[in-house]
């Protein structure tokens, strides 16, 4: 990595890789995570009537990545709850965000400049988690490259991957969609990151681990802060996907592209012929309505 | 514990703590549990057409606490099924309750005086399970106080915590509610018990374990037998909750209290303005209808 | 086993038991499994718009038996994903079946004679899996007969037992039915096989393991190939069930039999009295409509 050497960034990366996440960065992670829980419709009502259900959701928002990784590796899903101080810190954040008098804490952390800093810190934790998830899986399965990528993904994407079941605790059930069908940017980025870290772990990338972590952190922080600041929801992966998908999954995609192209020219209503399955009829609805809905929901 | 010493109860408690649960108390546990399965709407039809699905539900009613505790501690969920004699006993109870000619067995055990005795015995097993769940978790995580409380809770509350998934086996799906949103008395009591036993395990309570178990058993037996005998569903925790909740989760609760207060004075229909989210609109319905429905369902 | 000795089949059975499944038989298993995934309504649309969700479903169709058995025995659900070559082979099959130009691969393997051979090979793998599942559980629990039968069943029935959750990944949710309520032939046969292998493992059957595997494989191959060739969906277990069920779960079944008998004579509409619960009202619908739907879905 000559560029890094020239810029003397390798030393910064090494120093960065030794930086402790607890308590400051973890705190930011908890705050932003539970902030997004509060954005979920109905979550405030649940917190009023069922503090325990609300607390469980908050814990999932903060620790689902650990829970999932432990489950995937056959360990106790509560393993991370051994760190009582982390749980108490997250509980304090949950309490302040939902029950602080005058909603003061919420207003402070949702204030845009503060939120941007917290979001940046959260992404630092996310990348560290992906990297540690891959290492964790590598310890258990030395040549299980797929396992490493999947565990790293679970560590990075966190609660999003099990959002259906997190919602179920709050009495909400949306089976028609899930994170695999409508991937948000952090989920996609976590998958990409997990694959990169796995390649690095397999020594197929000629770059040291702390440099990968450093570079990927910069990418995530810049992208996510930009997206949060501009309320943008366009994925930076969209052009790459638009290029690669038709090649790999290609000719078939065309069918739907043609259909959608016709629809955008004409009246949308007339484009839902009765002989279309309810499933494919939903496609356009998702394309139109879904993106708007995602604006509120998926910018985790 | 001077009072216990004066009454010579400590010895009784010690003797009680050494009493074996199998087979008599466990039998009572299975009978009452499967009785409540039979009360569930649709469960008799399932037992007629799908004995295997019915058997699986019965096993969950009897052993969900073990299954959940094993899952939470990263062990095999079938671990307890190694005790073939327990499973066969529960299977026999399931068979007799659902398929006994003339419904004789059901009529016997559902006869109130018998049922009260069985209920009392079930509560003895429940408290023992909570205590053993905390100890079990303590062995795995010496300082994991939160893990101990959660495992103890799972051991005490049993199938209630996963009732959504137990119902799913019978083809019933009620995502709008679950045990976390509408806690029944046994679930709340199990949580309280698990916290108390965890505090005792952490030596923060100046009282020996067998005394805690004995006293909590008396509380559970008396309360549950009284509730079953009077068909009452008022939780004995209600006054404490009414006192503590407004202090801890307080000012926010007020919003809903005000709204509900207006509603009770006026026509309920007019109190559901169209701009209320479907979620909050459900609040009152749950408060009114929900309590009635709970009467049939939640007195486990 | 004199008959086997006379026919010199025992040697064939022994040779057969040593035959490796990878890669040829496993390949057939993956092809037939993913073929059935493609038959599922909506799965092609998912593969176009969400290759990752589609890939996950394909992996569940191929490896759910391993995942479930590992979960049931408290091991990592991703344990089998350590066999990278198996996963890559299944991924290649998934890619070819869903994205092959001109749908060529699909047309080849769905061509009846080819499909019959592949189905026969799949059943060979299935029986081997059941047998190995029982042995696997036996290693963990030497006297856990119920655990052995359940793990063997999970290994044989595969994705069918968790089809509700597999569908959920594709955005489909059918809580009103599941494999326990409407068992398909392979699921029932797997249960029977798991019980037989468990009895053999417990030395309650006077027959060697490779002979049981051989005989049960012949039964499964013949039955499944016949059913696939004739598009038949009548279970060969139906007569046995019709004989045994009334004896064991008997008098009660009568109620429904009488009701249904009346219904088949008269107008079906008039047979759904308003005082019937929605659950029991569905019974007939399932008996009439359900069987037709099953024809498309359940011949796995």
């Amino acid at each position: 990595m000559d560029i890094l050497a020239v810029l003397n960034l390798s030393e910064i990366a090494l120093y960065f890789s030794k930086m402790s996440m607890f308590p400051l960065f973890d705190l930011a992670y908890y705050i932003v995570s539970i902030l997004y829980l509060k954005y979920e419709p109905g979550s405030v009502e649940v917190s009023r009537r069922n503090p325990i259900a609300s607390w469980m959701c908050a814990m999932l928002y903060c620790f689902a990545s650990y829970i999932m990784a432990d489950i995937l590796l056959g360990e106790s899903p509560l393993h991370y709850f051994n760190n009582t101080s982390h749980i108490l810190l997250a509980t304090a954040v949950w309490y302040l965000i939902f029950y602080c008098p005058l909603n003061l804490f919420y207003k402070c952390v949702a204030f845009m400049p503060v939120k941007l800093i917290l979001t940046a810190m959260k992404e630092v934790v996310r990348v560290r988690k992906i990297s540690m998830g891959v290492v964790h899986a590598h310890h258990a399965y030395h040549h299980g490259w797929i396992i490493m990528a999947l565990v790293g993904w679970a560590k990075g994407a966190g609660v999003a991957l099990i959002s259906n079941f997190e919602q179920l605790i709050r009495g909400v059930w949306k089976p028609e969609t899930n994170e695999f069908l409508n991937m948000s940017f952090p989920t996609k980025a976590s998958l990409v990151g997990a694959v990169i870290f796995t390649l690095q772990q397999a020594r197929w990338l000629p770059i040291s681990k702390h440099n990968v972590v450093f570079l990927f952190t910069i990418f995530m922080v810049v992208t996510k802060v930009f997206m949060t600041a501009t309320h943008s929801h366009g994925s930076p992966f969209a052009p790459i996907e638009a290029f690669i998908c038709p090649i790999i999954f290609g000719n078939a995609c065309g069918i739907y592209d043609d259909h959608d192209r016709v629809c955008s020219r004409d009246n949308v209503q007339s484009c839902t012929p009765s002989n279309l399955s309810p499933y494919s009829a939903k496609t356009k609805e998702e394309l139109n309505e879904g993106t708007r809905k995602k604006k509120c929901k998926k910018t985790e």
Side-chain angles (χ1 to χ4, degrees), chain A residues 98 120 143:
Chain A
F98 278 100
H143 298 281

Side-chain angles (χ1 to χ4, degrees), chain A residues 20-190:
Chain A
S20 172
M21 290 292 110
F22 187 80
L24 221 61
F25 284 81
D26 278 329
L27 180 66
Y29 191 94
Y30 303 152
I31 291 174
V32 178
S33 297
I34 299 177
L35 210 56
Y36 279 106
L37 171 60
K38 193 162 184 175
Y39 290 163
E40 287 285 307
S43 70
V44 173
E45 285 87 348
V46 169
S47 73
R48 296 293 166 262
R49 286 179 292 125
N50 309 85
I52 289 175
S54 177
W55 179 80
M56 292 186 73
C57 289
M59 291 305 106
L60 278 184
Y61 264 76
C62 293
F63 304 112
S65 51
Y66 296 101
I67 293 171
M68 272 196 290
D70 281 329
I71 290 175
L72 291 178
L73 291 171
E75 290 164 25
S76 159
L78 294 182
H79 187 76
Y80 196 79
F81 284 65
N82 208 13
N83 303 301
T84 311
S85 53
H86 290 68
I87 311 296
L88 292 182
L89 184 62
T91 302
V93 169
W94 161 74
Y95 186 84
L96 286 171
I97 285 185
F98 278 100
Y99 306 106
C100 182
L102 302 174
N103 224 353
L104 262 180
F105 188 80
Y106 172 80
K107 282 172 188 161
C108 286
V109 295
F111 178 57
M112 191 48 93
V114 179
K115 194 178 159 186
L116 288 182
I117 295 167
L118 294 173
T119 301
M121 291 167 82
K122 185 188 175 183
E123 295 309 311
V124 172
V125 178
R126 189 198 299 276
V127 177
R128 199 66 74 87
K129 274 181 173 182
I130 300 173
S131 159
M132 266 150 53
V134 170
V135 172
H136 189 182
H138 178 74
H139 279 220
Y141 297 98
H142 274 71
H143 298 281
W145 314 118
I146 296 161
I147 302 177
M148 290 179 212
L150 290 176
V151 172
W153 189 25
K155 281 294 274 284
V159 75
L161 294 184
I162 50 162
S163 55
N164 286 43
F165 296 100
E166 180 273 325
Q167 290 165 355
L168 188 58
I169 296 178
R170 293 186 273 117
V172 176
W173 185 242
K174 296 175 187 157
E176 66 284 355
T177 188
N178 61 53
E179 194 67 17
F180 304 111
L181 291 176
N182 284 307
M183 279 203 203
S184 60
F185 166 71
T187 304
K188 275 183 192 167
S190 296

Side-chain angles (χ1 to χ4, degrees), chain A residues 216-267:
Chain A
F216 196 70
T217 303
I218 289 176
F219 164 72
M220 286 301 288
V221 167
V222 169
T223 317
K224 200 67 210 300
V225 166
F226 177 79
M227 285 171 73
T228 308
T230 60
H231 296 286
S232 150
H233 298 266
S235 163
F237 297 128
I240 305 168
E241 279 170 36
F243 177 72
I244 290 177
C245 279
I247 296 172
I248 304 181
F249 311 113
N251 44 355
C253 290
I255 302 168
Y256 289 85
D257 288 347
D258 285 338
H259 179 69
D260 291 340
R261 216 172 294 137
V262 175
C263 290
S264 56
R265 269 193 262 122
D266 306 329
N267 185 339

